[in-house]
Amino acid sequence: QVQLVESGGGLVQGGGSLRLSCAASGSIFSINDMGWYRQAPGKQRALVATITSGGSTNYADSVKGRFTISRDNAQNTVYLQMNSLKAEDTAVYYCNADVRTIARAYLSVWGQGTLVTVSS
């Protein structure tokens, strides 16, 4: 079993910052890509940012220059630093990890989500 636990969401004023964290635990042999996705009310879940085990990153156009994804491989943790937040960033943010388990199975694991609300 592998679990992802997110933290750091909340209410912030427009222009403010938040930092999300996501820690993976359980029967982990290794983790490849990790990422953040978000789902706004009435919309489909969409990619925000991803990061490989080697540190290569990819961002949605809407967050480039404002959000930064990073990871601590030793702690199996991924972070999302969100600056210059806008009302349209309001969503439930989900963490995802591509995990190879101790049993050598491959899993795509999702966290439970954390709500980010940006007031205008």
Side-chain angles (χ1 to χ4, degrees):
Q1 292 284 357
V2 177
Q3 300 84 32
L4 299 180
V5 177
E6 298 133 335
S7 60
L11 175 64
V12 63
Q13 284 192 331
S17 298
L18 281 176
R19 188 189 194 211
L20 306 183
S21 300
C22 171
S25 63
S27 303
I28 297 169
F29 177 74
S30 64
I31 302 178
N32 296 321
D33 292 358
M34 301 185 81
W36 290 95
Y37 295 74
R38 66 187 181 186
Q39 186 165 17
K43 295 188 177 181
Q44 292 188 331
R45 191 174 299 187
L47 180 146
V48 176
T50 61
I51 185 168
T52 68
S53 57
S56 295
T57 59
N58 179 54
Y59 294 93
D61 288 343
S62 60
V63 307
K64 283 180 181 177
R66 299 188 299 121
F67 290 10
T68 301
I69 188 170
S70 61
R71 65 189 283 176
D72 182 336
N73 290 331
Q75 298 295 323
N76 289 332
T77 301
V78 63
Y79 305 96
L80 186 69
Q81 178 66 44
M82 304 184 293
N83 298 329
S84 302
L85 282 160
K86 305 175 182 179
E88 51 263 44
D89 295 318
T90 295
V92 177
Y93 284 70
Y94 295 91
C95 173
N96 175 262
D98 292 332
V99 175
R100 192 177 187 194
T101 67
I102 292 174
R104 302 301 192 263
Y106 290 93
L107 300 175
S108 180
V109 185
W110 290 90
Q112 80 285 357
T114 186
L115 178 62
V116 172
T117 303
V118 184
S119 62
S120 56

